[in-house]
Amino acid sequence: MKNVNIEEILATCSLCPGICISSCPVYMTTRLRSASPNSIARIVLRYLRYKDVDPNVAFYCNYCKNCERLCPINNALPEALRLIRRELVGKAKPEIPEPTYLGGKGKKLIILSPKRPSNRAVKELSDRYETYWLDTGKVTYYYLNGLLEIDDMKEKLKPYTHILLEDLDLPVIGYDKVLDILEEVLGKDIKCEKYVLHIPCRIDPSISQRVKNIILGKPVMMINKCSGAYLSSEGVKISDLFFRELKSNIDENIPIITLCRRSQMLFSRKGMRSYTLLDLLEVREC
């Protein structure tokens, strides 16, 4: 476990009146008082001290770190909750699976995604790169529950000179570097006359202009919000509220372009036409 004083972090946060509440995507979507950062801290702290409350609120946090960024002292609540989950899930440290070689020669590129890239997308990439894919489905679970550290991932990624990140729960690289690769391969010939652009809560909204420059067309709506794609599997159904709001504001025929593969998979399950930028390598229009 990292050198983090979990109890001290929780105690500090629990004394705060809630300066960061309005920045928490879980609380702002659910409006559950127990889902606010300072309430989560109080409940988990009581669990650590007395073991007389249910600590599962620790799983409400999606590790966006908005609360930490807004906090005047940068109190590391998300990291404390991530580490306390290790005790709650009660599993040993797992191995990161070996990446799958997809094709191509040249500079080594690895795609981090819970979904295998399409053959067409791989062909586009393998003209320039020796391309690999790491299935991050389980790896993300391991990381967000304190069973793996990001340094473990970085060690695994050492052989690769380029990374395409579609699983934003693994903060191994800045998204600006991901866009460097996608701009190089995509060019500026992707045609989407109308689309909704989803910039997840872990990504700085300023990145949106670079995305819009890749795509020929104009977004009819910009969404900078957590979709609940990961949290929906942890018992916090914020995705239902997210989609209710989304469907009330846009025509269901307008496609969604998102930077997060987990969100795209969730959109697809909800019957909405959606793409990541990597998908646009294959379709070239939406």
Side-chain angles (χ1 to χ4, degrees), residues 249-260:
N249 284 292
I250 67 165
D251 186 313
E252 62 181 14
N253 295 316
I254 297 177
I256 302 171
I257 296 173
T258 177
L259 303 186
C260 175

Side-chain angles (χ1 to χ4, degrees), residues 53-224:
V53 293
D54 185 348
N56 282 333
V57 293
F59 292 98
Y60 287 9
C61 174
N62 74 343
Y63 207 67
C64 70
K65 292 192 172 184
N66 284 353
C67 59
E68 184 177 338
R69 284 190 285 268
L70 194 62
C71 178
I73 61 171
N74 302 117
N75 200 36
L77 177 63
E79 182 64 8
L81 294 175
R82 189 183 73 84
L83 294 176
I84 201 65
R85 290 174 187 173
R86 180 181 302 179
E87 175 186 331
L88 299 177
V89 297
K91 293 184 178 180
K93 181 177 178 178
E95 290 292 325
I96 299 173
E98 288 300 315
T100 301
Y101 172 69
L102 300 178
K105 295 181 180 180
K107 298 172 287 188
K108 284 193 171 185
L109 177 144
I110 187 165
I111 299 166
L112 305 183
S113 176
K115 181 180 178 182
R116 185 184 178 110
S118 69
N119 290 336
R120 177 68 183 275
V122 170
K123 184 179 183 305
E124 294 277 353
L125 289 169
S126 61
D127 288 343
R128 301 169 186 247
Y129 302 101
E130 182 178 315
T131 307
Y132 295 79
W133 167 56
L134 177 60
D135 183 350
T136 57
K138 290 184 178 179
V139 175
T140 295
Y141 173 83
Y142 299 150
Y143 172 65
L144 290 180
N145 289 293
L147 302 173
L148 284 175
E149 301 303 329
I150 213 63
D151 288 344
D152 299 325
M153 278 294 297
K154 289 181 177 179
E155 185 67 29
K156 193 75 173 183
L157 298 175
K158 273 187 177 179
Y160 305 94
T161 55
H162 294 73
I163 299 170
L164 274 179
L165 180 65
E166 285 203 310
D167 195 338
L168 303 184
D169 292 301
L170 294 171
V172 295
I173 189 172
Y175 210 83
D176 55 336
K177 295 180 181 179
V178 173
L179 285 179
D180 287 341
I181 299 170
L182 289 168
E183 283 177 336
E184 176 185 331
V185 178
L186 283 165
K188 295 186 179 181
D189 58 348
I190 302 301
K191 297 177 182 178
C192 298
E193 184 177 345
K194 292 181 179 181
Y195 62 95
V196 172
L197 181 57
H198 175 228
I199 307 290
C201 58
R202 289 178 182 80
I203 298 296
D204 191 315
S206 64
I207 212 81
S208 63
Q209 189 56 52
R210 288 190 67 186
V211 178
K212 288 187 281 188
N213 287 342
I214 292 174
I215 303 165
L216 295 178
K218 183 176 289 187
V220 298
M221 182 185 288
M222 280 273 303
I223 305 171
N224 180 220

Side-chain angles (χ1 to χ4, degrees), residues 28-74:
M28 291 303 292
T29 306
T30 64
R31 299 293 180 171
L32 293 172
R33 182 62 188 172
S34 61
S36 66
N38 56 344
S39 293
I40 292 172
R42 291 187 191 108
I43 293 168
V44 176
L45 180 62
R46 185 171 182 89
Y47 166 77
L48 285 180
R49 289 177 173 174
Y50 307 112
K51 297 292 192 295
D52 63 348
V53 293
D54 185 348
N56 282 333
V57 293
F59 292 98
Y60 287 9
C61 174
N62 74 343
Y63 207 67
C64 70
K65 292 192 172 184
N66 284 353
C67 59
E68 184 177 338
R69 284 190 285 268
L70 194 62
C71 178
I73 61 171
N74 302 117

Side-chain angles (χ1 to χ4, degrees), residues 6-20:
I6 295 174
E7 188 164 332
E8 182 179 320
I9 290 170
L10 294 173
T12 300
C13 189
S14 69
L15 294 172
C16 178
I19 295 171
C20 66

